[in-house]
Amino acid sequence: MLRPDHDPAAVEVHHPQPIAHPPAAPLEPVQPGPAVVQSIVLPDGRVITGYPLTPESTPVPVQPRPAVSRTAVNIALGGIGFGAVCGGLALLTTVIATLTAFITQLITLAAVIFGGWIAVQIFGATGHRDAGTTVNIRKAVIKRNHFHS
């Protein structure tokens, strides 16, 4: 808040400026070696001395790590295999149930056909009861384990 004895035109407003940080260079492992100092002579005669930007020795390459661990791959493959087995077991139980129903229908059909054939044999297809064969049974006598007719 401004006091009444201050002139508003004399007030300076300062806006903060963000500090721009340069992007960080990626770190690469470098073999330590003897430091080589280079000197450069500029056209105006000044000499600049410093370390080179590119090292003369080649850095040791870092072994790349796989993006996914082998354990994670094995777990994923095990899950896929388990899913495939479960599907096969579900299909197997379905096949067994279907075969059981089919065999039951075949047994029922055979019983109906065989029962109908026996009914036809007993009751006859013509309906005549006199056309059968007559068998005379005589009185048999068994004496001392011998059959006498």
Side-chain angles (χ1 to χ4, degrees):
M1 178 136 168
L2 296 176
R3 296 187 300 195
D5 58 338
H6 284 88
D7 183 16
V11 175
E12 289 184 32
V13 178
H14 295 281
H15 296 287
Q17 296 292 326
I19 298 174
H21 295 287
L27 297 177
E28 295 181 14
V30 178
Q31 292 281 342
V36 178
V37 179
Q38 290 182 345
S39 296
I40 298 175
V41 179
L42 297 178
D44 61 357
R46 292 183 293 164
V47 177
I48 299 176
T49 304
Y51 294 106
L53 295 177
T54 57
E56 291 180 6
S57 63
T58 58
V60 176
V62 177
Q63 293 290 338
R65 296 188 68 193
V68 180
S69 70
R70 291 183 181 183
T71 305
V73 171
N74 290 338
I75 290 172
L77 290 176
I80 292 170
F82 182 73
V85 167
C86 287
L89 289 176
L91 182 63
L92 182 65
T93 56
T94 303
V95 168
I96 290 172
T98 304
L99 285 175
T100 303
F102 179 69
I103 291 171
T104 304
Q105 289 179 353
L106 285 179
I107 291 172
T108 305
L109 180 65
V112 168
I113 291 174
F114 186 68
W117 181 76
I118 290 179
V120 167
Q121 295 299 319
I122 291 174
F123 298 115
T126 58
H128 300 302
R129 295 191 145 243
D130 301 356
T133 305
T134 304
V135 178
N136 294 324
I137 300 174
R138 291 191 269 168
K139 189 174 182 180
V141 178
I142 299 175
K143 291 184 179 178
R144 295 185 187 173
N145 296 330
H146 287 68
F147 178 76
H148 300 280
S149 57

